[in-house]
Amino acid sequence: GAKLKDRLVVGEGQGRILQRFPEKDWEDSPFPQGVELFCQPSGWQLVPERQPASFFVAVLTDINSDRHYCACFTFWEGLDNPQVRRTDLDQRRLADDELTVVQPAQVFAPKSLVLVSRLDHTEVFRNCLGLIYTVHVDGLTVPMETVVGNLLTCVIPIAGGSQRTITLGAGDRQVIQTPIDDALPVSGSTVAQLFRQLGIVNVLCLFCAALTEHKILFLSSSYQRLTDACRGLLAIMFPLKYSFTYVPILPGKLLEVLSTPTPFIIGVNSFFRSETQELLDVIIADLDGGTVTIPECVHISLLPEPLLQQTQTLLSMVLDPELEVADHAFPPLSTQPSALKIQDKEIRGVFLWLFARLFQGYRWCLHIIRIHPEPVIRFHKAAFLGQRSLTEDDFLMKVLDGMAFAGFVSERGPPYRAADLFDDLVANHVERIRQEETCPHKVMNHVKELAEQLFKNENPYPVVAMHKVQRPSENSQNSAQSQTPFPMLDEVTVELFIDHAAAKLKTAPPVVKAELKSMVPSGPPLGENGNVMANSARRLEVVRNCITYIFENKMLEAKKLMPAVLRALKGRAARVCLTQELNQHVLQNRAVLDDQQFDYIVRMMNCTLQDCSHIDEHGIAAALLPLVTAFCRKMGAGITQFAYSCVQDHMVWATMQFWEAMFYSDVQNHIRALYLETEEGEQEISALELASEQSRLWPTLSKEMQTERVQKEESTVFSQAIHYANRMSYLLLPLDTSKNRLLRSTGLVDVESVSNSYVTNSIAGSMAESYDTESGFEDAESSDVANSVVRFINRFVDKVCNESGVTNEHLKALHTMIPDIVQMHIETLDAVHRESKRLPPIQKPKLLRPTLLPGEELVMEGMRVHLIPDGREEAMGLMGGPPLLPAEGAIFLTTYRLIFKGTPNDPLVGEQVVTRSFPIASLTKEKRISVSLPMDQFIQEGLQLRSCTFQLMKIAFDEEVASDLAEVFRKHMHKLRYPPHVQGTFAFTVGQSGKMVVEHKTKDKNQSLKTLSKNLVKSAKRTIGRQYVTRKKYSPPTWENRSSFQSELDEDEISVSEEVDQSSLTLSSTMRSSDRQTMSNVVERACCRDYQRLGLGTLSNSLTRSKNEPFRISTVNRMYTVCRSYPGLLIVPQSIPDMTIQRICRCYRQNRFPVVCWRNPRTKGVLLRSAGLHAKGVVGFFKSPNTPASGPSQADSISLEQEKYLQAIISSMPSYSESSGRNTLSGFTSTHMSTSGKWGSIRGSGRLSAYNPDVGTRLAGKESPQPNGGPSEALFLRQQKAYLYIIGDKAQLKGGKQDSFQQWEVVPIEVCDVRQVKNSFKKLMKACVPSSSTSEPNMRFLRCLEESEWILHRVLQVSVLVVELLDSGSSVMVSLEDGWDVTTQVVSLVQLLSDPYYRTFDGFRLLVEKEWLSFGHRFSHRGAQTLGSQNSGFTPVFLQFLDCVHQIHLQFPMEFEFSQYYLKFLAYHYVSNRFRTFLLDSDYERIELGVLYEEKGERKSPQVCKSVWDYIDRLNEKTPVFYNYIYCVFQVLRPYTFNSNLKVWDFYMEETLSEGPSYDWELRGWQERVAEETLDKADSGGPKSQRRIVWPCYDSLSKVVPDAITKLLQDLQSLEAELGQTSEKWKDTWDKMKAAQRTECKLESKVTPPSFSSSLLMASNLSHHRRSQGVYLQESGVGSSINLAMDHEASATSTPVAGRPSTSTLYSQFQSTESENRSFEGILYKKGALLKPWKPRWFVLDKTKHQLRYYESRQDKECKGVIELAEVESVIPGTPTMGAPKNIEEKAFFDLKTTKRVYNFCAKDSMSAQQWMDSVQSCLSDA
């Protein structure tokens, strides 16, 4: 038993201690300091009214972390008001501001009775202190001293379930019950109370927060509730004990404790709520409001599912049993929750059950490292997590790392001790818990059983009504008469009492309840999951076989299995299997292998270790540890290399936790062995059982035996420590000590940060690695390695030896030994390293050299790299087929491309060649990465390179590549990617060997613009009068050497002869002949021919130019002075002089004023393009040099001229001139326009929701300010639409003026700016070519695609809108942004949709040259082609346009002469910089560089094409790859533009690993030749199969799966070659066949339903079927079904009735002579098909072929049509019908009825009609 060590403190005022008993501290419990703060936690204050007495218990924790319970009983005593007397200054508690208030004469001060005890009996304390107060207030006769004396001398047992009655001698009696088991917390009803106040989820949150060491603060206005809440929270944490700061009631004076950095559970009065607001990392639970506030920065790890859900369910069953049946129609009558006390225990039962599940099997992960003199036990956390497969679980990890769990292990670890309820539960009820966990009701029963035991523990005896304690009488509490203050007690009397009692105790027998010690049960061991094993049986088989092959020296077999093994080793079972298998090949701790075996074994070990986490939860590294020191190979000079020198690069070796766990488990085994000898070796006993037995025997041993055992154990631990120092030095010292790889990369220097990301460190490390070992730093470096290893081992040894009680002498010995061990090991390693350098290197695959284009040169020789798989799954074999990546090979950097070429690592496809390349100019992003390869031990540095040709290369440099070399590679790459000037690009440098980047020369072949303009001025002065310049004739060059932008104008020779008009000198008159050459080139540019084709202007003599033509070609921009980015020749209205143009252009951004670029041949509406207008007011700044600056009037005049310009365009339209160009209101109706017709939606969002062409044709008027600046009136509306629509940017149009008579109208739309295009392209690339595979749902392909917002539909919508407007007869001016991005897209799409010419090869080229190149789309700037534009980033405006064309091509596959491949080809080469076509930003720049018109004969080498168009033309001659076989012209196209109608362009997705991109044809042809050669070699063997496996992403599908037409054309060519004929160009062959097909199609027979014979596909009349039947034939998809048979009988006859074979097919094989064939013939009139007239035809009745054929005339050999007699049902006389030939008797008509239709015939008279009928009849009857 123990004394109730109590003290009584009476305090008052500033919290003074008035008296304390006993006066001296008892030796076993010191007096707690600062008690007075806790009596009035909110501070000592005087109050005007007497308060009721209060009671609460505060808890103090002393230095030994023992808890003291301070019961405070506070009452109030009256005082005379010191404020009135102004004497007693001690009461400093009153605030100053109260002085002004009128004070009451009497105030009340608090006085407290405090009882401090080690025991926790709240009710008893309340009663005792209440009694003392009652004795005082009611003036009972009992002396106070007696009461206090009795109180201080009660003796109460601590535990054991006894019951004591105590009395304090004032006629009172109380019963105290002590709990049966002291280990279980006593909770009363505090837990239930806590759940009531906060709710289930909140308390669970707090519970998890407390376990994972967060700070928790309770707020309440009641002190007792704070104490109860804290007690409740601690009770549910059992069996874990809270070991941090625990202050249930914190006095206000000590609030700064809350900012402590350590975790705590603290309660504070709500009075101080405001002070707690700024705590950022404290979880605040407000008991009164029922809320728990978790700050943003705090993340609480919750219980793992399904535990969390199950716990919540159970708790709600306890707290709210009605919830379950709330929805029942007939709920049970009583579902009241249990009484609070019982409920409290039930909740605790739930938490006990929860802990039993969390910690189940923990005893199997205890390592016992010492048994004597005291058991020392460690918990193997990693193994526990691994076996429970909870390594990912945040909550459990944190709990196991926490202090509470450490206490749990040291308290419950020892195997021989008293067991309690939890020990029993976790050991003996595991099975029950597992079976019941899914059924809440069964669990509930279990919980109730636990609750019963817990209740029993607290209340061992039935309640006895023996309590009798007096309470103060009512009146005495309230009366003011009892003024007597609490008296001072007589200390001597109290001391006597205490001494007397102490003496009595000495004589009494001791009350000791013997503790029952026993062996703690361990429970069932943690099972492995059986199903894991079953799944992987196949893999284990592979691993076993491979190991067997290796040891049997069947190396080829092993090599084949290797990749499969390395894949299998991803699984845990396979890794365990590997360690077991390898173990069997070790004899006496040694296994000697040859080089290749050694290499394979090491590789497998590395692969196994690579997936081990640093804590090694599955014990794989632990199992491999003995093996890495066993496997070895002999080298020369008697040196042996062990496997450990090759498997060092893994995090696990640098993790202190791993080594400790390993060490402890080894020590445990040795200690077990130590005692097993004495136990006659029963193998079944576990170490814990052994230890328990030994602990039981310990007291019975003699002293000598005891010390001997202690020494034995200590020396066992010591010897293990030496062993481990060796082991660690093996694995931590690198083979080449000059390269301190592992230590640096895993940050050994700072071991605490185990989680160091080793990626970052390894990069830092490898950057610092020195390759120059001769530098003399070697010793310093290696000693540095030695030092860090020694430090690491020392730290390890200190930790484990201190924990396991190794003596200090031994520890010192260890410290002296370690440096020697390390040094010795370094010496052996150096020898091994020297030898290993002499080993022949492992055969790596030889580097394959790439083929280069003519003129392409290597900048850097190939560097050995590995190509790592990225996020595209095809190449990794996930979609079927063996994995092509990772592949090993080399990366080459050439002047044009970046090329990887190598072979897959997987030997099953080892003979394939993998090529991945992209043009260096298309590189968009490069970043360093670090990669660990599955085949390899090391972490390599690598690069991730992304290209805008939708290619991604992740490469890891092989270790043979020095890192400075990799750096050089990056520098070169950057230099090539961003040359300082465009002349540094490949298109210019091609073929100039030696020079990497060409410096920009100032002198050029063509004179630069400056000199040109000087000459211009000179010659202008000289030239007066007339001058004719006639260009000399030259013969058009052949296609082969035609130069870059040479136009198709070569056919007609143009002679430019212009009159010199004094007012404006024309270009040719003012230039010297060399410049004239250039100018005539300008004239010759293709655009001009296009303008002529459209009738927009001619280049005839200026005087003879017809004045009535509305437009002219202006040379105002010939020197690029008006607008830099426009072409030299422009189409402007006839009536506008050049002077005006020079002024108008200032209103527009970049001076890009409106010019005509296309005219609708039917309606004569024109399409104009310009930039957006300058913002309002800017115009005034641009003063014209010719006119005096007259302020604002000038701006007005310019805007007038601008209107005049627009008016001139409108006047040019025939529809306008027809309406007599009225400017009056005569034609207007006064009806206001209804807004329903607006295409409002496209204005708002660019979405064409209400797409309705009729509405579209008359776009709504927008109300806008009048030109005069007056208020906007409602606009009038003619029945007719506006003549000119201006498509403008919504944001720009604020200052735009509207024509009052609505002759033009502004359509505001939203366009996406360049930044959006740039960003959405980046996202599109990431979606199509992800850098790593991800399983996140929001990173899936379609989601990424959607989020990229690659907005084609908006551009297409605007284009379709413009097409509609043009088609309806209006003109349209597109003026958006700067006029060179979106404007260009829209304008070129409009022309493509409206004019079939632009859908041919020539036309499309012309379109791109005209709209994109001449009109200055900034290719170099948008493509970031040079250093200057590097920061602007890559913005693929042109790619977007090509994608739009591709979408249209998909919807109208028959409308384009070119194929989809043509578009991809352009998309690739517009960024590749192989050709000069898409370089530079405008014609001006191209002329300045001399690129635009290169001299004809100056080609360096004929292979190097400078223009992509020439290249395409040349290719097109050789192969039909660009040609679309189902091409036939249709007129205007109107594609669907909704997002759902658009498809992802396969250009973004496809890749061909066998050959790289297929857009450089020279390479492609070469590869085919090589492939054929290798095939020929292979053919010598057995029979050759015709089958071919086609892999996605490896083979080029268009090649391996060719379309039928290409195939037939190729066959024709090869046949021609065999026959020795000169083979025709494919195009000629094709055109001939097409002509033949056309004529056949004219045969009249009805084809129903249309069969897909090629004749139909080529026939131009099929176009109307296109939409209805959905003929979407892609470039190569359906091609194979096209039938090219020339037998017109088969293809053109009407389809026979099923089941009746057509007779004609039987006869078609006989070619018989004419005479036999024609049994009867003559002219008949035949009525055509529906609505067609009667026509005379030559008919032939053929008995042999059984058909009636007809021809145009008698001489005609081509049959027009056939009627099968087999289908004729009857021949009957007919009647004349409408349109029949005149003057012919009625009897001459007869009808022929077939199964399909009735033919009406008419002979020349009735006689011949009769003959015809008879002949046909006889044929029918013969049949």
Side-chain angles (χ1 to χ4, degrees), residues 1405-1422:
R1405 164 183 179 168
L1406 202 142
L1407 181 67
V1408 173
E1409 288 191 338
K1410 177 174 76 167
E1411 300 300 341
W1412 290 87
L1413 296 163
S1414 294
F1415 276 100
H1417 172 67
R1418 305 175 64 191
F1419 280 104
S1420 282
H1421 186 74
R1422 293 279 178 256

Side-chain angles (χ1 to χ4, degrees), residues 741-999:
R741 204 172 196 164
L742 175 78
L743 293 182
R744 216 174 255 145
S745 66
T746 44
L748 270 198
V749 194
D750 170 25
V751 191
E752 293 346 298
S753 59
V754 175
S755 61
N756 268 16
S757 114
Y758 84 77
V759 178
T760 47
N761 281 330
S762 71
I763 290 179
S766 53
M767 292 308 294
E769 257 173 41
S770 111
Y771 281 90
D772 175 19
T773 45
E774 267 52 60
S775 60
F777 288 119
E778 194 175 346
D779 302 338
E781 184 88 354
S782 64
S783 66
D784 171 44
V785 175
N787 287 340
S788 50
V789 172
V790 167
R791 278 204 303 278
F792 185 75
I793 299 177
N794 271 337
R795 195 188 285 161
F796 166 77
V797 163
D798 280 345
K799 186 163 191 299
V800 297
C801 291
N802 285 332
E803 286 186 353
S804 51
V806 173
T807 58
N808 275 344
E809 299 74 57
H810 275 164
L811 193 53
K812 279 183 192 139
L814 271 173
H815 280 312
T816 48
M817 255 190 262
I818 289 169
D820 302 342
I821 292 176
V822 170
Q823 209 40 57
M824 197 168 72
H825 190 61
I826 286 180
E827 282 157 28
T828 35
L829 276 180
D830 283 345
V832 173
H833 184 53
R834 271 200 308 282
E835 282 303 312
S836 69
K837 278 186 173 162
R838 297 201 185 113
L839 280 177
I842 300 168
Q843 277 292 296
K844 292 192 173 172
K846 73 172 198 296
L847 299 183
L848 306 166
R849 299 191 63 73
T851 32
L852 302 182
L853 293 175
E856 178 182 14
E857 286 139 25
L858 278 177
V859 176
M860 280 186 82
E861 274 302 320
M863 294 188 293
R864 189 180 288 278
V865 295
H866 296 264
L867 185 62
I868 309 294
D870 45 60
R872 294 172 284 183
E873 295 173 336
E874 296 91 342
M876 294 153 67
L878 297 182
M879 322 284 275
L884 297 164
L885 299 182
E888 184 177 359
I891 192 149
F892 298 87
L893 181 61
T894 74
T895 45
Y896 169 48
R897 289 175 301 163
L898 198 61
I899 312 163
F900 169 86
K901 194 160 183 186
T903 50
N905 287 358
D906 191 327
L908 288 178
V909 274
E911 55 283 348
Q912 309 289 350
V913 176
V914 169
T915 311
R916 196 176 259 185
S917 73
F918 56 79
I920 193 77
S922 67
L923 178 72
T924 55
K925 186 160 187 212
E926 169 256 10
K927 72 172 182 190
R928 290 205 183 104
I929 51 174
S930 60
V931 191
S932 62
L933 299 172
M935 308 288 282
D936 220 56
Q937 310 81 295
F938 302 122
I939 295 253
Q940 258 94 0
E941 51 179 318
L943 290 175
Q944 177 175 306
L945 307 165
R946 198 182 264 291
S947 127
C948 57
T949 56
F950 291 84
Q951 189 49 276
L952 180 80
M953 268 194 225
K954 276 172 96 165
I955 53 174
F957 292 107
D958 198 85
E959 57 240 28
E960 71 185 42
V961 177
S963 64
D964 46 359
L965 207 64
E967 206 42 45
V968 172
F969 170 78
R970 284 183 66 234
K971 289 217 178 81
H972 274 315
M973 198 164 61
H974 274 277
K975 216 181 266 176
L976 283 169
R977 170 63 182 95
Y978 296 112
H981 185 269
V982 78
Q983 278 183 307
T985 52
F986 177 68
F988 284 94
T989 59
V990 56
Q992 305 179 353
S993 60
K995 286 187 248 173
M996 271 249 327
V997 177
V998 187
E999 282 306 314

Side-chain angles (χ1 to χ4, degrees), residues 266-304:
I266 287 179
V268 166
N269 193 318
S270 314
F271 180 72
F272 301 110
R273 182 188 303 271
S274 52
E275 273 90 294
T276 62
Q277 291 313 306
E278 64 271 9
L279 300 169
L280 292 179
D281 56 347
V282 180
I283 298 161
I284 297 179
D286 182 351
L287 296 172
D288 309 347
T291 59
V292 169
T293 316
I294 303 171
E296 280 173 34
C297 61
V298 172
H299 167 68
I300 302 180
S301 311
L302 291 174
L303 290 166

Side-chain angles (χ1 to χ4, degrees), residues 304-435:
E305 288 293 2
L307 266 183
L308 182 61
Q309 202 41 58
Q310 292 169 351
T311 312
Q312 283 184 352
T313 312
L314 290 175
L315 287 171
S316 73
M317 287 167 76
V318 172
L319 289 161
D320 184 7
E322 291 178 3
L323 177 65
E324 258 190 304
V325 293
D327 290 353
H328 288 195
F330 305 109
L333 296 174
S334 67
T335 45
Q336 286 307 310
S338 336
L340 260 191
K341 278 190 204 167
I342 307 295
Q343 211 181 25
D344 180 90
K345 302 302 170 283
E346 286 174 353
I347 295 172
R348 283 180 53 194
V350 172
F351 281 95
L352 261 179
W353 172 87
L354 168 69
F355 273 114
R357 285 194 61 189
L358 275 178
F359 292 159
Q360 157 214 332
Y362 81 98
R363 296 197 73 77
W364 292 93
C365 298
L366 293 176
H367 284 159
I368 182 143
I369 43 179
R370 289 295 292 273
I371 301 177
H372 303 317
E374 282 292 311
V376 179
I377 291 192
R378 286 286 157 268
F379 181 71
H380 189 357
K381 180 178 98 178
F384 179 71
L385 288 171
Q387 285 168 326
R388 297 284 303 273
S389 49
L390 284 168
T391 36
E392 298 306 308
D393 183 49
D394 220 13
F395 173 76
L396 200 54
M397 287 282 277
K398 286 182 179 165
V399 171
L400 297 185
D401 282 336
M403 291 269 286
F405 189 74
F408 174 84
V409 170
S410 55
E411 181 192 338
R412 294 185 178 262
Y416 185 67
R417 59 175 170 79
D420 67 10
L421 181 59
F422 180 73
D423 290 316
D424 171 56
L425 183 65
V426 81
N428 305 330
H429 292 267
V430 179
E431 207 34 57
R432 173 175 178 185
I433 289 176
R434 183 176 298 132
Q435 284 164 1

Side-chain angles (χ1 to χ4, degrees), residues 1006-1021 1067 1070-1072 1074-1075 1118-1121 1124 1484 1487-1488:
N1006 295 18
Q1007 289 170 303
S1008 74
L1009 202 80
K1010 286 176 192 160
T1011 49
L1012 212 117
S1013 48
K1014 274 182 203 155
N1015 296 334
L1016 182 70
V1017 175
K1018 284 182 201 160
S1019 49
K1021 287 177 184 159
L1067 185 51
T1070 55
M1071 287 171 116
R1072 286 209 335 273
S1074 69
D1075 307 333
R1118 59 181 179 262
M1119 300 310 299
Y1120 300 96
T1121 48
R1124 274 280 162 89
Y1484 166 72
I1487 288 185
E1488 197 180 23

Side-chain angles (χ1 to χ4, degrees), residues 361 850 1040 1496 1732:
E1040 264 57 38
K1496 305 274 175 315
K1732 290 205 181 131

Side-chain angles (χ1 to χ4, degrees), residues 1689 1704 1706-1719 1742-1747 1749 1751:
E1689 248 80 48
S1704 69
L1706 303 175
Y1707 297 127
S1708 58
Q1709 44 197 316
F1710 307 114
Q1711 279 311 117
S1712 46
T1713 59
E1714 290 290 301
S1715 55
E1716 276 173 40
N1717 266 9
R1718 309 187 166 203
S1719 49
D1742 182 335
K1743 274 192 164 161
T1744 330
K1745 284 199 172 178
H1746 208 60
Q1747 53 188 210
R1749 290 197 298 278
Y1751 299 77

Side-chain angles (χ1 to χ4, degrees), residues 12 50 75-79 107-111 136 484-487:
E12 105 179 78
R50 186 191 296 274
F75 53 95
W76 301 80
E77 289 187 342
L79 295 173
V107 289
F108 294 90
K111 196 172 264 189
H136 159 62
T484 51
F486 197 84

